[in-house]
Amino acid sequence: MFPFNKFSAGSVTQKLTVSFLTVILVGSLLLSLPFSHSANAPTTTYFDHLFTTVSMVCVTGLSVFPISEVYNSLGQFIAMILMQIGGLGIVTLIAISMFVLHQRLGLSARSLLQSALSRPDNTDLQQYLFNVYKISLVIEGMTALILMFDFIPRFGVQSGIFNSLFLAVSAFCNAGFDNLGTSSLKDFMLNPLINFTVAFAIISGGLGFSVWFDLFQIFNDFVKEKPRRLKASFRLLSNQSRLILYTTAIFLSAGTLLSWLTELRNPNTLAGYNAFQQFMISFFQTVTMRTAGFSTLSFLDTEAATNFLYMLQMAVGGAPGGTAGGIKVTTAAIIFLLFKSELAGQSDVTFRHRVIHNKTIKQTLTILIFFFVLAASGYFLLLLSERHLSPTALLFEVISAIATVGVSMDVTPALSSVGRCIIILLMFTGRVGPITVLLSFLQKKEKAVHYTPTDISLG
């Protein structure tokens, strides 16, 4: 019997927070035990494994040691499960188990699951949940299968299959871990199959499941049920899906172009490669900066302007209801729409002739403020505790942690215990969600209180 319906005390946001903490505790204990370690593993402490587990469950990618050097096949399998749980959420795993066993979910449990999936309501929740897992398994399976064409000849049948599965799960969950060595995917910088396959998995996970359901509905309408022009079929897209797809395309295109321009003459990165290779490297890094955490470049070699661009991309992240972190592309889009409406003198914030609710705009501003206050606080504390490290590298580390990206300017292993605790808190808050963490401590019922308006000058 699963304890889902017994998990009734506390608010929905508190339950989500506790579920992640529980998985982190269990996972860190399993990974710290000798049966998870390779024969020649370097000496590690429980705190090392706790840091790594938080990074896995929060699908971040920061680590104080290479996975392949410490964990054996069993340990790496546990790591893969932790990343999958982190990407889809422990709540959805328990719920799907209960549905399979034909156990009913109470109203409180449905509210919890609805919040975990970023759903506006709990209509057809069971079917939606099963579709989430179908999409996840299909995309991860396709990714692994394609990767096997390269990995099996390279690593052998057994290792090639396992490494493909590990990287596929990590990429789709935007986790950023690999078990291929100490240099992330730098050895595959010029490998189109690896670059574009991993990029596809990252984008797929970062789009969010509601977007995929809309796209599948369009496919069914266009091919099977009512053949029509593609443009007409795309009218079936919800406004949220349109906003996510538009914003994602803009960020990917602009990020690829700008990073290519800033690195074009850098002899340590793009200079010396042909145009296609330069595009591929720039595109992959732009994709992975949207909270995936893989890298084919060293961020110690990239230009300062490029790293600043990467930090902006990390902060934005992916879409809600997916496996990516950051403030989300919808938040960034609403901020732009708010700015646009103010310049145009409009009283409402609109998208495609529809008004965006004031409550959504308030939540957008709250997320933005909380994100940057938390990032600034974490950065300030790291500057105090890590005086021996580069301030720029520490800022890069902070944004990477809170946006659950996982890239680093090679400072993670050099962090003190205090510094690692700060990064752990940032990773956890970034994955569970700023609003979720904030409300789990400050949960109060919404009050409809109306006061007399007042005017305040803004300059």
Side-chain angles (χ1 to χ4, degrees), residues 281-318:
I281 296 169
S282 301
F283 174 74
F284 183 84
Q285 283 307 137
T286 298
V287 170
T288 194
M289 283 300 166
R290 301 180 66 250
T291 83
F294 300 104
S295 63
T296 56
L297 296 173
S298 170
F299 303 109
L300 295 175
D301 295 332
T302 48
E303 301 287 350
T306 308
N307 287 336
F308 176 72
L309 176 66
Y310 287 159
M311 283 188 272
L312 293 178
Q313 293 171 345
M314 287 191 286
V316 173

Side-chain angles (χ1 to χ4, degrees), residues 14-49:
Q14 288 170 341
K15 294 172 188 176
L16 287 175
T17 303
V18 170
S19 69
F20 274 94
L21 288 173
T22 302
V23 176
I24 287 169
L25 177 61
V26 174
S28 62
L29 290 173
L30 290 175
L31 289 180
S32 65
L33 295 175
F35 63 71
S36 297
H37 301 171
S38 59
N40 299 319
T43 302
T44 54
T45 65
Y46 171 75
F47 191 60
D48 294 330
H49 300 288

